[in-house]
Amino acid sequence: MAESTDCHKAQQDFPKVLILKPIPFINLVGEQYFASNKFTFLEAYDSSLPLHQFLSTHSPSIKAILSSVGAPPITADILHLLPEVGLVVTTSVGLNQVDLLECRRRGIKVANAGSIFSDDVADFAVGLLIDVLRKVSASDGYVRKGLWATKGDYPLGSKLGGKRIGIVGLGNIGFAVAKRLEAFRCSISYNSRKRKPHVSYPFYESVCELAANCDVLVICCELTDQTHHMINKEVLSALGKEGVIVNIGRGAIINEKEMVQCLVQGEIAGAGLDVFENEPDVPLELFAMDNVVLSPHVAVFTPESFLDLRDLVVGNLEAFFSNKPLLSKFRGLVIGLSNSSYCRLVFLTFF
Ligand SMILES: O=CC(=O)O
């Protein structure tokens, strides 16, 4: 009895890691998956208290935050209520839900999911593209509705091989998409914040110019103030009537209203979309289009990648609570691949 009381007390003394919203797909592995004997989680979403009150009540014990896609943003206001926080770790690659500048100002370290999901996301991007070009989902629907027997052949799709692919954001994921599409004999060019010195693919400084010289745009960049609505009517018109857009980045990188208009008016040929501006809401017009393939923000990972995610997230938290550097594996990738998120991570963890 005394032992269990001691154990309970020890747990109460553990530093707390705040979670604002359940981690996506946590049901695949169970809540205990990220457990450790170095910290305990504090789940704000289980409390009946209003968030601000909850945070103020627990603020002295909250030393870190675990965030994820779709979780409430980690804003300057939230951080202001949590002066003891020294680390924000995310299960996502994207860090758009975290106020990075405020973290830097407060000396808070930030760690994302690094390259763990790059292969999964890249596979999915290629899958979406093949689906749009070769009408896989659309012809599946045709067969299921019994239309093959009554209406005859379904229109043929377009060949992937030989297509000119424009990668927007040549980070880890962009590279993985490019490598896969090279194997399909596509030609690759890219737009990024800066030309990559060791990359031989043609670089376009303007995304509009890239679009004008490509058949397909694959959006792989981060959502930032600079990339918000970067893909607009002008870019889509430059892509042209035969052009296809694939988005596995973030919905708001595309001006969704203008993209829908372009699709309705046949100003581009099709789209493969895993992300949307106001998830889980998807513009209704898209539902009726068989040149558009839709998925519910699932490109990101597979159950197989969860194990690596656990090692990285728990490893980063344990390292932080043991006053050790965040996982070195992570930094190595950062420097080698110069993905923009990683560069930020290096910046934030080395200041
Ligand atoms: O979209 C998913 C992620 O950023 O991990």
Side-chain angles (χ1 to χ4, degrees), residues 67-69 90-95 97 111-114 117 250 300 309:
S67 175
S68 54
V69 169
T90 69
T91 61
S92 59
V93 180
L95 286 169
Q97 78 275 28
N112 69 355
F117 308 132
R250 284 288 184 271
V300 59
L309 179 65

Side-chain angles (χ1 to χ4, degrees), residues 27-327:
N27 57 321
L28 290 177
V29 285
E31 294 236 329
Q32 282 310 303
Y33 196 64
F34 292 93
S36 161
N37 59 8
K38 296 238 174 353
F39 54 83
T40 52
F41 288 115
L42 187 64
E43 283 118 356
Y45 53 87
D46 270 349
S47 169
S48 53
L49 292 178
L51 183 61
H52 273 55
Q53 201 179 332
F54 178 87
L55 296 182
S56 307
T57 309
H58 293 280
S59 129
S61 62
I62 299 176
K63 310 288 184 202
I65 303 175
L66 175 57
S67 175
S68 54
V69 169
I74 312 292
T75 58
D77 276 357
I78 299 252
L79 294 172
H80 178 72
L81 292 172
L82 303 172
E84 298 300 318
V85 164
L87 174 70
V88 173
V89 63
T90 69
T91 61
S92 59
V93 180
L95 286 169
N96 56 294
Q97 78 275 28
V98 182
D99 186 335
L100 293 171
L101 284 179
E102 183 62 15
C103 287
R104 194 174 86 193
R105 206 181 66 72
R106 290 179 170 270
I108 297 171
K109 296 176 180 175
V110 177
N112 69 355
S115 60
I116 280 174
F117 308 132
S118 302
D119 283 340
D120 291 333
V121 182
D123 291 347
F124 205 92
V126 172
L128 282 175
L129 178 57
I130 294 177
D131 195 337
V132 175
L133 290 174
R134 299 298 309 273
K135 307 178 191 286
V136 180
S137 297
S139 51
D140 173 271
Y142 190 75
V143 174
R144 284 172 198 265
K145 283 181 207 140
L147 297 174
W148 189 14
T150 53
K151 288 190 149 189
D153 289 337
Y154 192 71
L156 292 176
S158 164
K159 194 180 185 72
L160 173 59
K163 287 275 184 298
R164 298 168 304 158
I165 310 290
I167 307 279
V168 179
L170 197 67
N172 244 354
I173 293 170
F175 254 121
V177 172
K179 285 288 154 215
R180 281 157 176 71
L181 289 173
E182 271 190 283
F184 285 92
R185 294 186 306 95
C186 294
S187 61
I188 311 291
S189 46
Y190 73 104
N191 162 266
S192 234
R193 278 185 307 167
K194 282 195 198 140
R195 182 192 296 274
K196 312 267 169 187
H198 304 296
V199 170
S200 58
Y201 304 138
F203 168 71
Y204 289 91
E205 208 166 318
S206 126
V207 79
C208 216
E209 239 184 280
L210 176 73
N213 286 283
C214 286
D215 306 306
V216 175
L217 281 185
V218 186
I219 311 304
C220 303
C221 62
E222 283 181 273
L223 174 62
T224 63
D225 289 348
Q226 288 71 40
T227 62
H228 183 263
H229 283 188
M230 174 172 71
I231 308 297
N232 53 17
K233 183 169 167 36
E234 192 191 354
V235 175
L236 295 170
S237 303
L239 185 61
K241 290 192 187 315
E242 302 299 319
V244 167
I245 187 147
V246 171
N247 192 4
I248 44 81
R250 284 288 184 271
I253 297 167
I254 302 182
N255 183 325
E256 202 166 70
K257 231 180 175 166
E258 294 186 2
M259 177 189 66
V260 169
Q261 249 174 26
C262 287
L263 283 161
V264 168
Q265 291 163 2
E267 289 182 35
I268 57 171
L273 307 168
D274 183 56
V275 285
F276 304 88
E277 270 205 77
N278 299 304
E279 296 176 5
D281 293 335
V282 174
L284 290 180
E285 297 94 320
L286 298 177
F287 291 1
M289 297 180 185
D290 59 9
N291 54 342
V292 174
V293 177
L294 306 169
S295 54
H297 203 144
V298 288
V300 59
F301 57 64
T302 54
E304 289 90 332
S305 301
F306 241 116
L307 199 57
D308 296 334
L309 179 65
R310 187 214 168 267
D311 289 349
L312 187 64
V313 166
V314 177
N316 269 321
L317 284 165
E318 288 188 342
F320 173 72
F321 288 122
S322 315
N323 285 323
K324 292 192 180 140
L326 298 184
L327 296 188

